[in-house]
Amino acid sequence: MSDAILDCSDLDQYIGKPMQPARMVEPVANADIRRWVQAMHYPNRLHYDLGYAQQSRFGGLIAPQSFPVTMDDGHGSAPSCIGSIPNSHMLFGGDEWWFYGPRIRGGDRIWNERVPFDYTVKETKFAGPTCFQRGDNFYYNQDGDLIAKQRSTSIRYAQQAGEASQANTTEGRDDPVWSDDELEQLEHRKFAWIAMLHDLGHSARYWETVNVGDALPERVFGPHSIVSFTTEWRAYTFTQWGGAHRRTDLNMAELGFVGPMAGPEQDPTEEAINPENTDGAYIGPSRGHLFPRWARYIGMPRGYGYGASMGAWITDYLSGWAGEWGMVRHSNCNYRGPALTGDITIQTGTVLEKFIDEHGRALVKIDTRMTNQLGTVLSTAVAEVELPRRPA
């Protein structure tokens, strides 16, 4: 048991009440879409190659299903970490996604309605009393069509508990070293999944051709680095200076972040004065990802990746396998540990079930997980993917 104190009483006043939104200043641009898939290591030509995309069923570039999360100024976390927990830190715990059909294209305007959902406090080995807080995000286009719903989970824990986990140890602080031969082998493993995308092309992966027990092709990327994590961060549209109509109700200190982790991140007044203080890369809670010193401050051994990116990796993995005629309809993702600098990420999946739902959709249930090179599980997810039926 931990002696840490976690006061969650302030959260009750927010549950079930819509929050102030943040809106992107300009419509989505094709460059935003290209930047996103490049940062997410997702070389699907539908999302960056105009000529190829024009020959597809969509007739032009479309955003990947993972893209809506870039339209939120906290990549979906805002309604899951509203309310003050004094002297606390926060990590992402997972995302549940529902996709309703409309696809995002350049020129669309996307907005998000955010509603805090619930929270519970549990005892954990990592930090003692820990708050698991959930909030819903509803992503709409300019026509009012609901594109996706995201239920995000934040893990909030006492400041001293997180610091204690790294205070007296150097374990895990050094990046693993990869030889030139190992890196070359990694490139071959990476391309095997990319080759699957090319082989499927504009063709359909039919529901009838998939069997229970089938293994999805392995997907590998990395080694991760401060550079790759920075590339990810910069692909989130809201991190661009002046890119969003910022919320005025966001105060890091009121959320419970203290000292060097409070910072004026995403503060609209400070953005007009000195935007480097507000974009999350240098000052405030998000800098733990990009600076090992601040990673250790919140209990991580070294620089670590973004939970929202892990959710995107899962959606892209499933969507790429389904092809342009398929669609991820629902996924429930749990983030068990972050991707750390120097590590690789390995994605695998297995078909659990095939069924026709009450709407007549042909669905495949898939269990998928991400591990690093040591076999440590980073995340797990179960998803339902819709596939087209073979013509009679």
Side-chain angles (χ1 to χ4, degrees), residues 326-348:
M327 171 173 277
V328 180
R329 287 293 184 177
H330 171 254
S331 67
N332 195 352
C333 316
N334 294 307
Y335 309 144
R336 297 188 178 184
L340 299 173
T341 56
D343 288 350
I344 64 171
T345 293
I346 304 164
Q347 293 185 270
T348 55

Side-chain angles (χ1 to χ4, degrees), residues 66-141:
S66 62
F67 189 75
V69 75
T70 71
M71 296 290 100
D72 181 275
D73 71 354
H75 39 72
S77 69
S80 69
C81 62
I82 188 67
S84 174
I85 301 179
N87 299 313
S88 64
H89 293 312
M90 188 272 284
L91 296 170
F92 289 108
D95 284 309
E96 188 169 7
W97 284 91
W98 294 262
F99 296 96
Y100 299 101
R103 302 302 293 261
I104 297 174
R105 299 171 181 264
D108 285 350
R109 284 189 175 272
I110 309 300
W111 71 87
N112 178 23
E113 294 182 352
R114 301 183 279 204
V115 183
F117 184 67
D118 65 5
Y119 73 92
T120 185
V121 178
K122 299 179 181 179
E123 187 76 17
T124 66
K125 293 181 180 179
F126 169 65
T130 303
C131 178
F132 294 84
Q133 186 176 359
R134 298 192 295 176
D136 289 343
N137 301 271
F138 301 86
Y139 298 96
Y140 296 88
N141 64 19

